[in-house]
Amino acid sequence: MDFKKLRQEMVEVQLAGRDVRDEKVLETFLQIPRELFVLEKYRYSAYDDSPLPIGYGQTISQPYMVAKMTEILNLHKNDILLEIGSGSGYQAAIASRLCKFVYSVELVPELAEFARNNLEKAGIDNVEVICGDGSIGLEEFAPYDKIVITAAIEEVPLELFDQLKDGGCIVAPEGPRYTQQLVKYEKINNEIVKEVYFGCVFVPLRGEKGFKE
Ligand code: SAH
């Protein structure tokens, strides 16, 4: 299986072929081997245009979704990013190449371990995966330049705005259990400005401020 060729096709067709325009984001997708972040049995589907199961009822997000969220975050090389929902570690791996450091919180201990192992296999050393409830953010290393939530949330919790630096932004799929919108909240002079992108469906965020069912 020629993963490099599949990776190039994914970037051309699924990302650049749609509306991912940021050259640095496209370049990063060419560098990170997605096959290292999926379960062994899905290796040959690693470049499919869809999410894939990673166990525990969770998924690695569709490449296009990861790319759009990364593009909207507009990461800079000195940014410290907080990711909520490590899952496979793939989103963190992509982001890690575009910023200084990623703190990534994962609720399921086995998945935190999965993400750590995958990141190590990919040779990434500027991501720290922390096992815990990210629905209240991660006070310990706050404030962050950017925050990305990779699971559905009814409303972005207020704690996260407190943990965000002025000039930073939060990108998240926000809305009810089965239909969300990808949104960005920017903190500009301590005022919050919201922008709505497109409809999407993510697995639910759990924990204190997450979905209860
Ligand atoms: N970013 C991931 C996709 C994550 S799917 C990737 O690139 O593969 C969403 C993840 O959020 C799941 O792994 C799920 O276990 C996790 N999650 C759900 N609720 C959470 C919470 N309250 N805190 C941290 N992680 C949570």
Side-chain angles (χ1 to χ4, degrees):
M1 201 83 172
D2 187 349
F3 285 122
K4 187 165 177 231
K5 185 157 170 275
L6 288 176
R7 190 146 63 239
Q8 275 166 349
E9 278 170 12
M10 170 191 77
V11 169
E12 276 162 34
V13 177
Q14 301 174 33
L15 309 187
R18 293 198 177 112
D19 59 350
V20 181
R21 295 286 167 262
D22 188 326
E23 285 296 333
K24 280 196 294 191
V25 172
L26 295 171
E27 183 54 39
T28 306
F29 273 80
L30 289 174
Q31 289 167 7
I32 304 286
R34 189 173 159 91
E35 68 274 16
L36 298 181
F37 293 85
V38 301
L39 295 175
E40 190 62 38
K41 63 176 167 184
Y42 293 114
R43 270 195 102 187
Y44 299 109
S45 308
Y47 293 94
D48 286 5
D49 191 11
S50 64
L52 292 170
I54 53 172
Y56 309 92
Q58 307 304 323
T59 54
I60 174 173
S61 309
Q62 179 195 20
Y64 174 74
M65 197 59 74
V66 178
K68 284 311 280 183
M69 290 177 98
T70 309
E71 188 173 61
I72 293 166
L73 278 171
N74 189 23
L75 293 166
H76 293 124
K77 67 177 192 316
N78 285 324
D79 282 349
I80 306 291
L81 173 71
L82 172 66
E83 179 190 32
I84 300 167
S86 320
S88 67
Y90 182 66
Q91 168 82 73
I94 294 285
S96 78
R97 289 294 189 244
L98 297 161
C99 70
K100 189 170 182 184
F101 200 86
V102 183
Y103 291 100
S104 183
V105 189
E106 172 56 52
L107 189 66
V108 179
E110 291 85 350
L111 287 176
E113 202 45 40
F114 181 58
R116 277 187 205 113
N117 287 336
N118 297 342
L119 288 159
E120 198 185 322
K121 275 188 280 173
I124 288 161
D125 58 8
N126 61 333
V127 177
E128 183 176 337
V129 177
I130 293 125
C131 188
D133 177 10
S135 75
I136 47 166
L138 183 66
E139 186 59 49
E140 202 177 343
F141 304 106
Y144 305 97
D145 295 288
K146 315 265 164 82
I147 300 177
V148 62
I149 312 179
T150 65
I153 180 93
E154 194 116 46
E155 264 183 5
V156 173
L158 289 177
E159 285 86 346
L160 296 190
F161 292 102
D162 292 337
Q163 294 174 21
L164 182 69
K165 278 189 206 167
D166 195 42
C169 68
I170 301 178
V171 175
E174 194 185 54
R177 177 72 177 81
Y178 295 102
T179 55
Q180 297 96 40
Q181 286 178 314
L182 192 64
V183 299
K184 174 171 80 173
Y185 289 99
E186 266 179 295
K187 201 189 225 184
I188 305 169
N189 297 326
N190 287 307
E191 304 251 339
I192 301 296
V193 180
K194 180 179 180 177
E195 196 167 333
V196 178
Y197 293 87
F198 50 83
C200 52
V201 185
F202 276 71
V203 294
L205 193 83
R206 306 285 183 191
E208 193 179 324
K209 299 286 166 100
F211 286 93
K212 290 292 169 270
E213 147 273 19

mmCIF file of all heavy atoms in Angstrom, residues 58-61 83-91 105-108 111 132-135 150-151 203-207, ligand 1:
data_model
loop_
_atom_site.group_PDB
_atom_site.id
_atom_site.type_symbol
_atom_site.label_atom_id
_atom_site.label_comp_id
_atom_site.label_asym_id
_atom_site.label_seq_id
_atom_site.Cartn_x
_atom_site.Cartn_y
_atom_site.Cartn_z
ATOM 1 N N GLN A 58 -15.734 6.067 20.046
ATOM 2 C CA GLN A 58 -15.183 7.348 19.578
ATOM 3 C C GLN A 58 -14.627 7.200 18.163
ATOM 4 O O GLN A 58 -14.492 6.088 17.656
ATOM 5 C CB GLN A 58 -14.094 7.831 20.529
ATOM 6 C CG GLN A 58 -14.527 7.885 21.981
ATOM 7 C CD GLN A 58 -15.757 8.738 22.192
ATOM 8 O OE1 GLN A 58 -15.926 9.772 21.554
ATOM 9 N NE2 GLN A 58 -16.637 8.305 23.092
ATOM 10 N N THR A 59 -14.315 8.335 17.547
ATOM 11 C CA THR A 59 -13.806 8.297 16.169
ATOM 12 C C THR A 59 -12.637 9.259 15.986
ATOM 13 O O THR A 59 -12.509 10.251 16.713
ATOM 14 C CB THR A 59 -14.898 8.731 15.151
ATOM 15 O OG1 THR A 59 -15.408 10.016 15.528
ATOM 16 C CG2 THR A 59 -16.032 7.727 15.084
ATOM 17 N N ILE A 60 -11.808 8.944 14.999
ATOM 18 C CA ILE A 60 -10.848 9.920 14.489
ATOM 19 C C ILE A 60 -11.648 10.714 13.459
ATOM 20 O O ILE A 60 -12.343 10.135 12.622
ATOM 21 C CB ILE A 60 -9.591 9.236 13.885
ATOM 22 C CG1 ILE A 60 -8.658 10.258 13.216
ATOM 23 C CG2 ILE A 60 -9.931 8.124 12.900
ATOM 24 C CD1 ILE A 60 -7.314 9.645 12.749
ATOM 25 N N SER A 61 -11.589 12.042 13.535
ATOM 26 C CA SER A 61 -12.419 12.878 12.664
ATOM 27 C C SER A 61 -12.006 12.750 11.202
ATOM 28 O O SER A 61 -10.870 12.385 10.890
ATOM 29 C CB SER A 61 -12.321 14.348 13.079
ATOM 30 O OG SER A 61 -12.568 14.503 14.451
ATOM 31 N N GLU A 83 -6.192 21.427 23.264
ATOM 32 C CA GLU A 83 -7.161 20.606 22.534
ATOM 33 C C GLU A 83 -7.981 19.823 23.544
ATOM 34 O O GLU A 83 -7.421 19.229 24.465
ATOM 35 C CB GLU A 83 -6.464 19.614 21.599
ATOM 36 C CG GLU A 83 -7.486 18.745 20.868
ATOM 37 C CD GLU A 83 -6.917 17.561 20.092
ATOM 38 O OE1 GLU A 83 -5.891 17.001 20.513
ATOM 39 O OE2 GLU A 83 -7.508 17.196 19.070
ATOM 40 N N ILE A 84 -9.284 19.800 23.358
ATOM 41 C CA ILE A 84 -10.133 19.009 24.242
ATOM 42 C C ILE A 84 -10.683 17.845 23.429
ATOM 43 O O ILE A 84 -11.418 18.047 22.458
ATOM 44 C CB ILE A 84 -11.238 19.893 24.855
ATOM 45 C CG1 ILE A 84 -10.574 21.011 25.656
ATOM 46 C CG2 ILE A 84 -12.165 19.049 25.736
ATOM 47 C CD1 ILE A 84 -11.498 22.112 26.064
ATOM 48 N N GLY A 85 -10.294 16.622 23.789
ATOM 49 C CA GLY A 85 -10.662 15.415 23.044
ATOM 50 C C GLY A 85 -9.516 14.927 22.181
ATOM 51 O O GLY A 85 -9.516 15.101 20.963
ATOM 52 N N SER A 86 -8.519 14.282 22.797
ATOM 53 C CA SER A 86 -7.336 13.829 22.038
ATOM 54 C C SER A 86 -7.683 12.739 21.046
ATOM 55 O O SER A 86 -7.115 12.695 19.949
ATOM 56 C CB SER A 86 -6.251 13.277 22.972
ATOM 57 O OG SER A 86 -6.136 14.028 24.136
ATOM 58 N N GLY A 87 -8.565 11.802 21.428
ATOM 59 C CA GLY A 87 -8.933 10.679 20.560
ATOM 60 C C GLY A 87 -7.697 9.939 20.085
ATOM 61 O O GLY A 87 -6.941 9.396 20.879
ATOM 62 N N SER A 88 -7.461 9.959 18.790
ATOM 63 C CA SER A 88 -6.302 9.268 18.199
ATOM 64 C C SER A 88 -5.011 10.069 18.326
ATOM 65 O O SER A 88 -3.921 9.541 18.129
ATOM 66 C CB SER A 88 -6.556 9.052 16.715
ATOM 67 O OG SER A 88 -6.580 10.311 16.052
ATOM 68 N N GLY A 89 -5.131 11.371 18.577
ATOM 69 C CA GLY A 89 -3.957 12.248 18.602
ATOM 70 C C GLY A 89 -3.658 12.892 17.252
ATOM 71 O O GLY A 89 -2.723 13.688 17.136
ATOM 72 N N TYR A 90 -4.456 12.578 16.237
ATOM 73 C CA TYR A 90 -4.156 13.075 14.885
ATOM 74 C C TYR A 90 -4.298 14.602 14.779
ATOM 75 O O TYR A 90 -3.416 15.284 14.242
ATOM 76 C CB TYR A 90 -5.063 12.374 13.866
ATOM 77 C CG TYR A 90 -4.806 12.769 12.422
ATOM 78 C CD1 TYR A 90 -3.609 12.444 11.793
ATOM 79 C CD2 TYR A 90 -5.763 13.474 11.686
ATOM 80 C CE1 TYR A 90 -3.366 12.799 10.472
ATOM 81 C CE2 TYR A 90 -5.537 13.832 10.369
ATOM 82 C CZ TYR A 90 -4.341 13.491 9.755
ATOM 83 O OH TYR A 90 -4.109 13.845 8.455
ATOM 84 N N GLN A 91 -5.394 15.132 15.308
ATOM 85 C CA GLN A 91 -5.570 16.593 15.263
ATOM 86 C C GLN A 91 -4.424 17.286 16.003
ATOM 87 O O GLN A 91 -3.887 18.299 15.539
ATOM 88 C CB GLN A 91 -6.931 16.968 15.882
ATOM 89 C CG GLN A 91 -7.129 18.440 16.174
ATOM 90 C CD GLN A 91 -7.545 19.253 14.966
ATOM 91 O OE1 GLN A 91 -8.674 19.177 14.486
ATOM 92 N NE2 GLN A 91 -6.630 20.064 14.452
ATOM 93 N N VAL A 105 -6.378 17.180 26.169
ATOM 94 C CA VAL A 105 -7.049 16.493 27.278
ATOM 95 C C VAL A 105 -7.977 15.404 26.732
ATOM 96 O O VAL A 105 -8.745 15.650 25.800
ATOM 97 C CB VAL A 105 -7.898 17.483 28.116
ATOM 98 C CG1 VAL A 105 -8.403 16.805 29.390
ATOM 99 C CG2 VAL A 105 -7.099 18.711 28.477
ATOM 100 N N GLU A 106 -7.895 14.217 27.307
ATOM 101 C CA GLU A 106 -8.738 13.097 26.886
ATOM 102 C C GLU A 106 -9.369 12.446 28.117
ATOM 103 O O GLU A 106 -8.677 12.127 29.075
ATOM 104 C CB GLU A 106 -7.909 12.081 26.092
ATOM 105 C CG GLU A 106 -8.605 10.779 25.757
ATOM 106 C CD GLU A 106 -9.919 10.947 24.995
ATOM 107 O OE1 GLU A 106 -9.951 11.638 23.974
ATOM 108 O OE2 GLU A 106 -10.936 10.382 25.455
ATOM 109 N N LEU A 107 -10.670 12.231 28.041
ATOM 110 C CA LEU A 107 -11.425 11.676 29.176
ATOM 111 C C LEU A 107 -11.177 10.180 29.366
ATOM 112 O O LEU A 107 -11.102 9.694 30.492
ATOM 113 C CB LEU A 107 -12.919 11.933 28.927
ATOM 114 C CG LEU A 107 -13.891 11.631 30.056
ATOM 115 C CD1 LEU A 107 -13.667 12.557 31.235
ATOM 116 C CD2 LEU A 107 -15.332 11.773 29.558
ATOM 117 N N VAL A 108 -11.092 9.426 28.274
ATOM 118 C CA VAL A 108 -10.968 7.958 28.347
ATOM 119 C C VAL A 108 -9.486 7.572 28.488
ATOM 120 O O VAL A 108 -8.694 7.841 27.573
ATOM 121 C CB VAL A 108 -11.565 7.302 27.071
ATOM 122 C CG1 VAL A 108 -11.426 5.782 27.122
ATOM 123 C CG2 VAL A 108 -13.013 7.729 26.867
ATOM 124 N N LEU A 111 -7.784 5.820 25.609
ATOM 125 C CA LEU A 111 -7.574 6.651 24.423
ATOM 126 C C LEU A 111 -6.431 7.642 24.649
ATOM 127 O O LEU A 111 -5.682 7.944 23.723
ATOM 128 C CB LEU A 111 -8.865 7.378 24.024
ATOM 129 C CG LEU A 111 -9.940 6.466 23.398
ATOM 130 C CD1 LEU A 111 -11.220 7.255 23.131
ATOM 131 C CD2 LEU A 111 -9.440 5.812 22.114
ATOM 132 N N GLY A 132 -8.205 13.432 31.609
ATOM 133 C CA GLY A 132 -9.069 14.155 32.528
ATOM 134 C C GLY A 132 -10.289 14.695 31.814
ATOM 135 O O GLY A 132 -10.496 14.419 30.626
ATOM 136 N N ASP A 133 -11.098 15.447 32.548
ATOM 137 C CA ASP A 133 -12.314 16.035 31.996
ATOM 138 C C ASP A 133 -12.010 17.429 31.440
ATOM 139 O O ASP A 133 -11.865 18.382 32.189
ATOM 140 C CB ASP A 133 -13.384 16.114 33.097
ATOM 141 C CG ASP A 133 -14.650 16.784 32.607
ATOM 142 O OD1 ASP A 133 -14.774 17.015 31.376
ATOM 143 O OD2 ASP A 133 -15.531 17.086 33.444
ATOM 144 N N GLY A 134 -11.935 17.514 30.115
ATOM 145 C CA GLY A 134 -11.631 18.794 29.471
ATOM 146 C C GLY A 134 -12.846 19.698 29.314
ATOM 147 O O GLY A 134 -12.706 20.810 28.801
ATOM 148 N N SER A 135 -14.013 19.243 29.753
ATOM 149 C CA SER A 135 -15.199 20.098 29.579
ATOM 150 C C SER A 135 -15.099 21.357 30.444
ATOM 151 O O SER A 135 -15.828 22.324 30.225
ATOM 152 C CB SER A 135 -16.490 19.329 29.881
ATOM 153 O OG SER A 135 -16.657 19.156 31.269
ATOM 154 N N THR A 150 -12.811 19.052 20.069
ATOM 155 C CA THR A 150 -13.048 18.132 18.954
ATOM 156 C C THR A 150 -14.189 17.158 19.258
ATOM 157 O O THR A 150 -14.233 16.062 18.712
ATOM 158 C CB THR A 150 -11.756 17.378 18.557
ATOM 159 O OG1 THR A 150 -11.357 16.550 19.638
ATOM 160 C CG2 THR A 150 -10.640 18.347 18.230
ATOM 161 N N ALA A 151 -15.098 17.573 20.140
ATOM 162 C CA ALA A 151 -16.317 16.814 20.408
ATOM 163 C C ALA A 151 -17.442 17.845 20.535
ATOM 164 O O ALA A 151 -17.198 19.006 20.858
ATOM 165 C CB ALA A 151 -16.174 16.004 21.688
ATOM 166 N N VAL A 203 -19.029 13.364 17.778
ATOM 167 C CA VAL A 203 -19.376 12.585 18.973
ATOM 168 C C VAL A 203 -19.490 13.584 20.133
ATOM 169 O O VAL A 203 -18.834 14.624 20.121
ATOM 170 C CB VAL A 203 -18.313 11.492 19.287
ATOM 171 C CG1 VAL A 203 -18.286 10.427 18.211
ATOM 172 C CG2 VAL A 203 -16.928 12.086 19.492
ATOM 173 N N PRO A 204 -20.335 13.271 21.115
ATOM 174 C CA PRO A 204 -20.585 14.258 22.182
ATOM 175 C C PRO A 204 -19.431 14.411 23.169
ATOM 176 O O PRO A 204 -18.736 13.440 23.476
ATOM 177 C CB PRO A 204 -21.806 13.679 22.902
ATOM 178 C CG PRO A 204 -21.758 12.217 22.636
ATOM 179 C CD PRO A 204 -21.145 12.055 21.278
ATOM 180 N N LEU A 205 -19.241 15.628 23.646
ATOM 181 C CA LEU A 205 -18.333 15.866 24.761
ATOM 182 C C LEU A 205 -19.070 15.403 26.021
ATOM 183 O O LEU A 205 -20.257 15.682 26.201
ATOM 184 C CB LEU A 205 -17.995 17.358 24.872
ATOM 185 C CG LEU A 205 -16.830 17.657 25.805
ATOM 186 C CD1 LEU A 205 -15.508 17.468 25.070
ATOM 187 C CD2 LEU A 205 -16.897 19.065 26.360
ATOM 188 N N ARG A 206 -18.367 14.675 26.873
ATOM 189 C CA ARG A 206 -18.942 14.214 28.146
ATOM 190 C C ARG A 206 -18.385 15.073 29.271
ATOM 191 O O ARG A 206 -17.768 16.090 29.038
ATOM 192 C CB ARG A 206 -18.569 12.748 28.384
ATOM 193 C CG ARG A 206 -18.935 11.815 27.241
ATOM 194 C CD ARG A 206 -20.415 11.549 27.225
ATOM 195 N NE ARG A 206 -20.776 10.610 26.182
ATOM 196 C CZ ARG A 206 -22.030 10.380 25.819
ATOM 197 N NH1 ARG A 206 -23.030 11.023 26.393
ATOM 198 N NH2 ARG A 206 -22.300 9.508 24.884
ATOM 199 N N GLY A 207 -18.537 14.588 30.483
ATOM 200 C CA GLY A 207 -17.945 15.287 31.629
ATOM 201 C C GLY A 207 -18.891 16.329 32.204
ATOM 202 O O GLY A 207 -20.049 16.449 31.788
HETATM 203 N N1 SAH B 1 -9.286 14.971 17.949
HETATM 204 C C1 SAH B 1 -9.517 13.550 17.798
HETATM 205 C C2 SAH B 1 -10.974 13.207 17.599
HETATM 206 C C3 SAH B 1 -11.622 13.123 18.873
HETATM 207 S S1 SAH B 1 -13.216 12.399 19.023
HETATM 208 C C4 SAH B 1 -8.684 12.964 16.689
HETATM 209 O O1 SAH B 1 -8.023 13.714 15.975
HETATM 210 O O2 SAH B 1 -8.665 11.744 16.573
HETATM 211 C C5 SAH B 1 -13.616 13.163 20.556
HETATM 212 C C6 SAH B 1 -12.809 12.706 21.749
HETATM 213 O O3 SAH B 1 -13.244 13.490 22.862
HETATM 214 C C7 SAH B 1 -13.028 11.248 22.158
HETATM 215 O O4 SAH B 1 -11.796 10.602 22.215
HETATM 216 C C8 SAH B 1 -13.672 11.353 23.537
HETATM 217 O O5 SAH B 1 -13.311 10.300 24.404
HETATM 218 C C9 SAH B 1 -13.161 12.687 24.016
HETATM 219 N N2 SAH B 1 -13.947 13.331 25.093
HETATM 220 C C10 SAH B 1 -15.289 13.282 25.305
HETATM 221 N N3 SAH B 1 -15.618 14.025 26.371
HETATM 222 C C11 SAH B 1 -14.459 14.539 26.872
HETATM 223 C C12 SAH B 1 -14.137 15.367 27.983
HETATM 224 N N4 SAH B 1 -15.081 15.852 28.799
HETATM 225 N N5 SAH B 1 -12.845 15.696 28.186
HETATM 226 C C13 SAH B 1 -11.863 15.236 27.361
HETATM 227 N N6 SAH B 1 -12.113 14.440 26.291
HETATM 228 C C14 SAH B 1 -13.382 14.097 26.043
#
